[in-house]
Amino acid sequence: LEKLSKFPNEFNWLLNYYPNLNLIANPSSKTEKRAELIEEEFVMPAISSLNDTQDDSQPLCSLCSRVRSKPLEKGKSIFSKSLFSSLGVSPDSFINYFFDLQPHMYVCPVCRFLLVCAYAGLTRKPYDHVDKTNEVFVNLAALGIEELFNLNEGISLIHSLEKGETLYERVIELSLSGHIKRKSQWSLENVQFIEMLAKPQKDTPNLKTYSLSPDVARLFADPKTVDTNLKNITGSIPLNEGTNEEGPMKQVVLKNLINGKDLMEPVFLALSTFVKTDGYFVWLLISAFNTIVLSARRNSIRSEIDGGANNMGERGNYGILRKYQEIGQRDFTHFELDKKKRMSYVLLSLIHNNKAEEFYENLLKIYINSDRSIPEEIVGLLSESQAATFKEKAFAFMTGFLMGKGKDDNEDKGGNQ
């Protein structure tokens, strides 16, 4: 209550979440008075319901099933839109929408108080252009209440994130710390990100929920995923083809991983941006290649989980993709970068549309017209395998093709200059 008296703007934030709650929505009330009313309306009844002897004739709360509610208290014990307005739930429009398909809900004073305090569990974060959200709560079933509180407090220190680090990396790192390897993967499988943007003028806010699937959890359980691949994904890319709105590439990749989406879309957008941009922004190529490695590793793990062949492992996937990157860089050092960019428009479009035969045909023409011998490995571009898909291998080739001038054959062909 003292804090509310000192920080009146907190009530303005709450207006976005509880526009139908009179104690908060009444703009004429003074801050100090509103704090007192909240104590009278919510805090004291919750304390009393825990301290007093409960009447066994009264129904149990529909949410906690522990505290007895008092259905005779009109408007206080029955489900009301004001308590759930941040979720857009209405007893008129969504009778069976929220809880256990019950048309009537009894809510005890303790749960009423907790519902009004739900906003305190959200962490403000930089506006997310990918999903149009600005707040997050992280739930982790492996943790107790106190640890869960500390986890969310830890991610609230946005300013403590290292340059280029995302909130999702921090959560994954925190969830792995202190656990043995087997338990850490189980912990990651139970991570849930709940993100939202309140829209007081609309019935439903922008609410997003994400969970880590077993294949992604196993991917992140390998420290190299975060320490090597993710740390080498930097900068911003367009969120969609043909739009000017941009977002951090690492965040786009992480969201696609968490959602189980294809990672080749951000790779295509990164390479297309490189081709269309004046200058030599090598970070786009490095970011694209590391995203391709993550994609191949995830697909390999997913294949094993689904009963396929054993996953190849980080080194095996990396070796195959790096081979195609090196071929693309090695065989076209005689081309100027501008020429490579012009030729890449068609090649990238064919890969994006999964037209493997046409891509292969166009690539052979480039080899023949430039009087270069065709490597045997190029044939492998047409094949789909558990280790790498056509798109992954072809895009890896393109990251090398678009690299700056390569080194001589007797030198290192790292491609990361």
Side-chain angles (χ1 to χ4, degrees), residues 232-234 249 253 263-264 266-271 282-295 325 392 395-396 398-399:
N232 285 314
I233 300 175
T234 58
M249 182 169 178
V253 170
L263 297 186
M264 292 302 100
V267 169
F268 170 73
L269 293 170
L271 294 178
V282 70
W283 63 264
L284 281 165
L285 303 178
I286 296 172
S287 297
F289 182 76
N290 280 282
T291 304
I292 296 167
V293 174
L294 286 175
S295 176
Q325 184 192 51
E392 289 162 353
F395 276 132
M398 293 304 299
T399 64

Side-chain angles (χ1 to χ4, degrees), residues 150-284:
N150 291 334
L151 173 64
N152 281 275
E153 284 292 289
I155 64 170
S156 68
L157 303 175
I158 299 297
H159 61 272
S160 69
L161 295 176
E162 297 178 7
K163 185 177 181 181
E165 184 186 14
T166 67
L167 177 145
Y168 309 97
E169 288 171 88
R170 175 63 59 85
V171 171
I172 290 164
E173 179 185 338
L174 288 170
S175 64
L176 285 174
S177 62
H179 295 287
I180 60 174
K181 185 174 181 180
R182 183 167 55 87
K183 188 176 180 182
S184 68
Q185 182 183 327
W186 179 83
S187 299
L188 286 172
E189 289 181 22
N190 287 275
V191 171
Q192 185 180 48
F193 298 96
I194 302 166
E195 303 185 31
M196 70 182 299
L197 173 67
K199 296 181 178 179
Q201 304 306 320
K202 297 185 178 181
D203 285 338
T204 307
N206 186 16
L207 186 68
K208 305 284 184 178
T209 304
Y210 306 110
S211 298
L212 267 62
S213 58
D215 55 323
V216 176
R218 191 185 300 185
L219 179 67
F220 282 119
D222 181 356
K224 287 186 178 180
T225 297
V226 176
D227 295 342
T228 302
N229 300 122
L230 276 179
K231 285 190 176 178
N232 285 314
I233 300 175
T234 58
S236 297
I237 58 171
L239 295 180
N240 293 290
E241 189 178 5
T243 64
N244 294 324
E245 189 176 14
E246 293 187 342
M249 182 169 178
K250 183 184 293 185
Q251 188 172 339
V252 176
V253 170
L254 279 166
K255 282 293 179 68
N256 280 19
L257 273 173
I258 293 170
N259 287 327
K261 292 183 178 179
D262 184 19
L263 297 186
M264 292 302 100
E265 185 67 24
V267 169
F268 170 73
L269 293 170
L271 294 178
S272 298
T273 302
F274 180 89
V275 168
K276 296 173 184 177
T277 305
D278 293 332
Y280 184 59
F281 298 106
V282 70
W283 63 264
L284 281 165

